[in-house]
Amino acid sequence: MNNSKIWLSSPHMGGTEQQFVQEAFNTNWVAPLGPNVSGFEKDLENFLGNEVFVAALSSGTAALHLGLLLLDVKAGDEVICQSFTFSASANPIVYQGAIPIFVDSEPSTWNICPKALEEAILDRIAKGKKPKAIIAVHLYGMPFDVDAVLEVANKFSIPVLEDSAESLGSHFKGKMCGTFGTLAALSFNGNKIITTSSGGALVSSEEKVKEKAVFLATQARDVAPHYQHSEIGYNYRLSNISAGIGRGQMQVLNDHILKRRAMHSFYTDYFQKMDGIAVFKEPNENYYSNHWLSCIIFDVKKINKSPDELRLFLETKNIETRPLWKPMHLQPIFKKYPYYGGFVCENLFATGLCLPSGSNLTYFDKERIINAFDEFFK
Ligand SMILES: *Cc1c(COP(=O)(O)O)cnc(C)c1O
């Protein structure tokens, strides 16, 4: 029997990626600029649809860092960040010498709770400093409550930096994730819904902001025949080789979304009859998730098994799963920063599990997963 590893989320090539990469070699555009970079940006702009401008960068983390720079976040500023996320959402705040202020999630979307957000803003203002920006995340592909979060942000005139690293192709009320914030970050890391092996992008509604992002990402060179600099620059541009992979991946993005959503339906069907396990789903028809990862929650009152027992059991079957993100306010490095909210994200971390969700899982992979579940839950 084939017992090869079933991954949580692995790269899934469509077939045309190597042609774009070969073209880059043929024309010697082996550099952090070239026709694949601009072509990939155009593809993303068309996909997002909403009169946006995209700067292709070396990673999602670089996009978040440049996003904070462009929002003028400086040393000593405070930046609000969803606590329930990957550390890359929060690290760039510290790169800037700014202070992260963490906020809990809401139960329906698992993303930043609009009430706790407002409470945090009011308290920070009362303590003397208005937060400079809000980092809200569409975690696991699920859109945050865009209406409620933007209402709070607008009320206090604080810009939103949307962390859309996991949500390419998700939408809220028909509008794409990555087009709601003042700025948004995308990621094309190896485990994301499409990959350039490593890469990211910054999305803006203004062309001049994109130009500024590209300027900063290419060492902030002033216009001069020699190398002259009036600002600190970064080496954050995407390579023309990686962008070639991205152009190929854009041709299969819609197919990947449908396949990830089919994995989610597969788990929904399996757990339908099981009392005590809930598959994380969209709260209502305003939300459309790409279901980057399918996640389940154990109701510990109804089921006498833990997510960690399931994870370890599946490991013996060579099937990868992972606990949900450990909240940032519980991380050793971030513990010292303020936190607003209750125990929503802590409980999610304690009771949840991410299941294999790749667009490349086969019929036989699914059989193996079902057989392992049957054996575990019998
Ligand atoms: C992947 C990810 C990032 C970082 O993207 P990289 O391209 O890996 O730097 C940021 N935020 C979230 C929520 C992510 O999942």
Side-chain angles (χ1 to χ4, degrees):
M1 200 186 91
N2 180 3
N3 195 38
S4 60
K5 177 120 179 176
I6 296 178
W7 299 95
L8 197 68
S9 179
S10 67
H12 184 193
M13 293 298 108
T16 59
E17 292 84 359
Q18 283 178 305
Q19 292 165 28
F20 289 105
V21 172
Q22 189 59 52
E23 178 76 13
F25 274 79
N26 294 347
T27 52
N28 205 29
W29 280 106
V30 185
L33 79 169
N36 283 337
V37 175
S38 38
F40 184 42
E41 289 175 339
K42 267 277 154 307
D43 290 347
L44 286 164
E45 286 165 1
N46 290 337
F47 182 82
L48 293 172
N50 226 52
E51 286 293 299
V52 291
F53 298 90
V54 172
L57 301 172
S58 53
S59 71
T61 311
L64 288 161
H65 187 198
L66 280 190
L68 291 177
L69 271 158
L70 291 164
L71 296 176
D72 200 33
V73 170
K74 294 197 176 77
D77 287 340
E78 295 188 350
V79 175
I80 289 184
C81 183
Q82 182 168 322
S83 184
F84 193 46
T85 187
F86 177 46
S87 64
S89 307
N91 284 336
I93 302 170
V94 181
Y95 300 166
Q96 282 305 94
I99 299 151
I101 308 290
F102 294 112
V103 171
D104 200 2
S105 290
E106 56 172 359
S108 57
T109 66
W110 295 8
N111 292 313
I112 196 162
C113 170
K115 286 199 194 75
L117 172 63
E118 178 153 13
E119 187 192 306
I121 295 170
L122 287 169
D123 192 60
R124 297 325 293 174
I125 292 173
K127 288 191 161 69
K129 221 177 234 177
K130 187 171 108 170
K132 204 68 181 280
I134 298 164
I135 299 177
V137 190
H138 307 290
L139 212 60
Y140 301 119
M142 186 64 69
F144 57 74
D145 182 343
V146 173
D147 287 344
V149 170
L150 290 186
E151 193 185 314
V152 175
N154 293 338
K155 185 163 150 189
F156 296 95
S157 304
I158 303 174
V160 171
L161 173 54
E162 223 182 320
D163 183 341
S164 212
E166 300 178 0
S167 62
L168 186 60
S170 299
H171 44 86
F172 179 82
K173 292 187 172 172
K175 193 167 182 276
M176 285 289 183
C177 290
T179 66
F180 295 110
T182 304
L183 294 169
L186 307 177
S187 168
F188 313 111
N189 208 325
N191 61 351
K192 298 292 167 30
I193 195 153
I194 60 165
T195 183
T196 58
S197 71
S198 179
L202 189 72
V203 187
S204 161
S205 57
E206 290 176 62
E207 191 164 20
K208 66 176 195 314
V209 175
K210 172 192 167 160
E211 283 164 5
K212 181 78 197 229
V214 171
F215 168 78
L216 291 171
T218 49
Q219 309 287 25
R221 277 187 69 186
D222 294 341
V223 182
H226 53 275
Y227 277 78
Q228 174 159 310
H229 308 274
S230 315
E231 280 185 70
I232 294 295
Y234 300 82
N235 184 4
Y236 279 173
R237 199 70 162 128
L238 188 68
S239 92
N240 194 55
I241 302 297
S242 301
I245 304 175
R247 288 179 89 181
Q249 289 273 279
M250 285 306 288
Q251 299 179 345
V252 291
L253 172 56
N254 281 318
D255 181 58
H256 283 197
I257 294 165
L258 294 177
K259 289 190 165 132
R260 296 250 176 189
R261 286 179 58 84
M263 283 309 295
H264 182 265
S265 302
F266 163 75
Y267 291 121
T268 304
D269 290 345
Y270 183 85
F271 288 109
Q272 203 141 43
K273 316 167 286 300
M274 202 178 294
D275 207 21
I277 302 263
V279 179
F280 179 43
K281 65 176 202 298
E282 287 110 334
N284 60 51
E285 63 282 358
N286 289 334
Y287 296 82
Y288 182 93
S289 171
N290 66 10
H291 288 307
W292 172 59
L293 294 185
S294 292
C295 309
I296 50 173
I297 291 290
F298 284 60
D299 182 340
V300 286
K301 291 193 288 295
K302 289 186 179 156
I303 203 154
N304 64 350
K305 298 202 148 115
S306 73
D308 217 46
E309 284 172 272
L310 176 58
R311 182 180 67 79
L312 292 169
F313 179 79
L314 292 174
E315 209 168 85
T316 68
K317 306 283 179 189
N318 215 13
I319 298 171
E320 184 186 32
T321 62
R322 196 171 296 160
L324 302 190
W325 297 119
K326 179 171 180 172
M328 291 304 112
H329 71 280
L330 301 180
Q331 299 285 355
I333 189 71
F334 290 127
K335 261 200 215 126
K336 57 180 179 273
Y337 298 109
Y339 170 70
Y340 292 84
F343 297 91
V344 175
C345 64
E346 292 193 34
N347 284 334
L348 290 169
F349 173 59
T351 57
L353 196 67
C354 302
L355 302 175
S357 304
S359 45
N360 51 0
L361 296 180
T362 64
Y363 174 82
F364 298 102
D365 293 332
K366 290 192 228 178
E367 287 286 291
R368 269 176 62 197
I369 292 168
I370 283 193
N371 290 339
F373 283 162
D374 285 346
E375 198 180 329
F376 180 78
F377 288 110
K378 74 170 178 284

